[in-house]
Amino acid sequence: MRAVRLRVDGRDNCVVVDGVPYVFARTATGAFVLPSRCPHRGGPLQLAQLDGAGRFLRCPWHGRRSSLTRFREHGVPAVRSGNDVVMVLDVGDDASVQWRHTPVAPALRTPGASGLPPSATDELQPGGDASSAASAATCSSAQPRCSRRAHASGTAPVRIP
Amino acid sequence: MTSTLPAGFAPFVLDSGQLRDAVLRYASNPLYIDGERWLNGDNPYRRQLLPQTLPSFDFSVPLRRDQVFSAAALASHRLLLNIYEADLVFLPGKGLEAKWSDFTAFYSSSNRAFGEIIRPALERHCFGFLDDEIDVTGDWTPASLEAYLTDIVRDDVGEWGGPERAILSSADPERAARSWMIQFAPDFLSEASPMIRNVLGNYGPAQSEWFKIVIDEYGYGVHESKHSSLFVDTLSSLGLDPGVHTYWQYYLAGSLAANNYFHYLGKNHENFFRYLGALYYTECTLVQFCARVIRMMRQVFGETADVRYFTEHVHIDVHHGRMALEKLVLPLVERCGDVVIPEIVRGVSEFRTLAGIADVDIAEQIRWTDGLDAAMREHDRLWPQIRDGELPAPATPLVGTSDTVITSDQYDTDTLLHVTSGSMRLIAGWEAELPLAPGDGVVIPAGRLHGATISSGDCTYETYPVPTEP
Ligand code: FES
Ligand SMILES: [Fe+2]
Ligand SMILES: [Fe+2]
């Protein structure tokens, strides 16, 4: 078992562990970690559309459907706090781990009421919201692990309006 | 409140009007009226709530993440702390002779009942944003939980945090460090009281394990080694009054939130498993945290500061962190099943979020108290434009009467305060005071706590929201 970090948005929003890419996604029915390589031929599930009244993802390549309930209830255990995600994978300490940025389909980026950043910020480097920018400033790009206080909140400093 | 009750069992919810009335009824207790004193000293029952401001808030709606330093956040956390602390026993050091009516008013059934009625809504108002701030997802097992818990406390590598950096770079590090210690008074002077809410009842061997932690917190019945006693000594060594809530008016919304969170979890046992997560996290991280505080205190005060509170935690919380994991969290997951794991994980994350907010709050407050001269200069720059009508800004004329205090509060927008007659002492923080004469003023940043005393003669002043620069 190994805890691995990634961000919801901006730089490092995708982590590749032993060759499998993961992103964090959120739809109206809830949040989940998405292993984003389609099991059929490796299509980019992070670019998938919703299907079946929002209950499934439809792979953009050949249309394979994946159940969101499965990801949420039987998928990778994870916690998101603000823009930061910690997930636990069943891999050893010797697993290879690399971070990168990948665009994610707007359908998988439904904000919570207080807000994941809007999808428009996805193309910004680092994330366009204040918290990702502040996080990025305190983290090495190679590994989004920050000192507790820099990130204590798991969310970066609150901006005073 | 309406007199018609719904048939059957339904959630208890007050609409916003009912809630407003109920909050006012609670806050109209004479204990909570302000205006008389700046420090509460040896009276643990007097806690200023600014009841006159309360009708302007809608407590029925949760605060957003960007409102954690709002006036509503401060007001609702002050209310909540009072409600929670009606469960705790405080006695003044110098007897109850002159305070008997305050004592009975604070612990009266009316104070308790009126508080209980508004508590659930205030808790949702204060902590509801955490539902959006945090997601817990996926299929958690004891093994993944343990991997997560082990990892999450590894971050703490002993680097200075925001408050320590603000203190060490402050124009007045001693003042800043005292201000920070004051923020811990609500928590450390009644240390482990929220925790004890969890050791009542009967839930098997883990309960007795938790009780062992309580025994440590209470110094094994030796009063001098009780953790709260150690903190009394810390405050005294810094020349601060160790009275419970002497410094009520200096408490920041962020500090109150971090403190109230444990009461919130401990008071509502549906959050029992969140408390486990928060307990584990705080016990583990307190080790590094206290080591940093000791280094900071030595740097700022030399040997004069009594840091035994912190050295005790550097030692004992190594054990408490381990005990929380091995003797509480994992056995209770085994007993109750994986269904409780997401709650434990959520408790860790929620407390981390609130601790981060508290850190930002005190660091910002230190910068504000350090920058009072600049705040005056900003007033001097803007005032001619306001006076000449170049900046259209509605004024609120206010009068402070002689020999009163203006209870600390904060604005939701940057606000220019301008004294038109008489004089006041603006209080921006511990020993951070600014005399203001007619024509003087300051710009008070949004979210920054401030109050004032008016010593002789009435003082009239006006406040203007500062227009944002184009
Ligand atoms: S690669 Fe996804 S359906 Fe074929
Ligand atoms: Fe303690
Ligand atoms: Fe402890």
Side-chain angles (χ1 to χ4, degrees), chain B residues 30-238:
Chain B
L31 294 175
Y32 306 141
I33 311 287
D34 58 298
E36 289 169 15
R37 69 197 83 201
W38 180 258
L39 299 177
N40 290 331
D42 191 36
N43 188 332
Y45 318 116
R46 292 273 166 162
R47 296 126 176 268
Q48 295 82 349
L49 288 182
L50 276 170
Q52 64 275 26
T53 65
L54 298 177
S56 64
F57 303 122
D58 184 359
F59 294 119
S60 68
V61 180
L63 294 166
R64 297 187 313 268
R65 175 70 161 89
D66 62 358
Q67 292 176 313
V68 293
F69 301 149
S70 64
L74 179 68
S76 47
H77 277 298
R78 283 174 169 174
L79 283 158
L80 269 182
L81 182 58
N82 286 351
I83 295 167
Y84 292 134
E85 288 195 345
D87 293 343
L88 277 47
V89 179
F90 296 114
L91 297 174
K94 299 193 188 83
L96 276 171
E97 218 68 66
K99 291 160 196 152
W100 184 254
S101 62
D102 285 4
F103 169 75
T104 52
F106 188 70
Y107 293 118
S108 68
S109 53
S110 295
N111 189 49
R112 295 176 61 84
F114 292 162
E116 280 302 290
I117 285 169
I118 58 176
R119 182 172 60 80
L122 291 175
E123 289 170 338
R124 211 172 72 86
H125 180 69
C126 288
F127 299 116
F129 76 94
L130 294 167
D131 291 349
D132 298 320
E133 191 63 19
I134 293 159
D135 285 311
V136 182
T137 179
D139 184 20
W140 286 88
T141 62
S144 51
L145 172 67
E146 198 172 348
Y148 168 74
L149 292 177
T150 313
D151 178 82
I152 200 73
V153 296
R154 247 184 240 153
D155 274 355
D156 205 341
V157 290
E159 286 165 14
W160 293 129
E164 297 101 309
R165 281 197 301 272
I167 289 165
L168 294 172
S169 63
S170 166
D172 188 341
E174 290 198 15
R175 177 179 78 186
R178 286 189 177 94
S179 304
W180 197 28
M181 290 301 115
I182 285 171
Q183 300 308 314
F184 293 118
D187 184 351
F188 296 174
L189 289 179
S190 49
E191 182 149 326
S193 296
M195 181 196 292
I196 288 173
R197 297 176 188 274
N198 296 294
V199 298
L200 311 177
N202 182 344
Y203 56 84
Q207 183 180 12
S208 300
E209 295 296 335
W210 202 330
F211 197 68
K212 290 178 195 167
I213 296 180
V214 171
I215 291 171
D216 289 335
E217 302 287 343
Y218 269 58
Y220 322 99
V222 177
H223 187 65
E224 294 70 35
S225 31
K226 187 170 178 275
H227 288 181
S228 63
S229 303
L230 297 175
F231 193 64
V232 165
D233 293 344
T234 300
L235 292 178
S236 302
S237 76
L238 301 178

Side-chain angles (χ1 to χ4, degrees), chain A residues 47-65:
Chain A
L47 298 177
Q49 300 297 310
L50 293 179
D51 197 5
R55 290 178 299 128
F56 298 95
L57 283 185
R58 181 179 284 283
C59 177
W61 282 5
H62 316 101
R64 183 182 184 277
R65 298 209 308 178

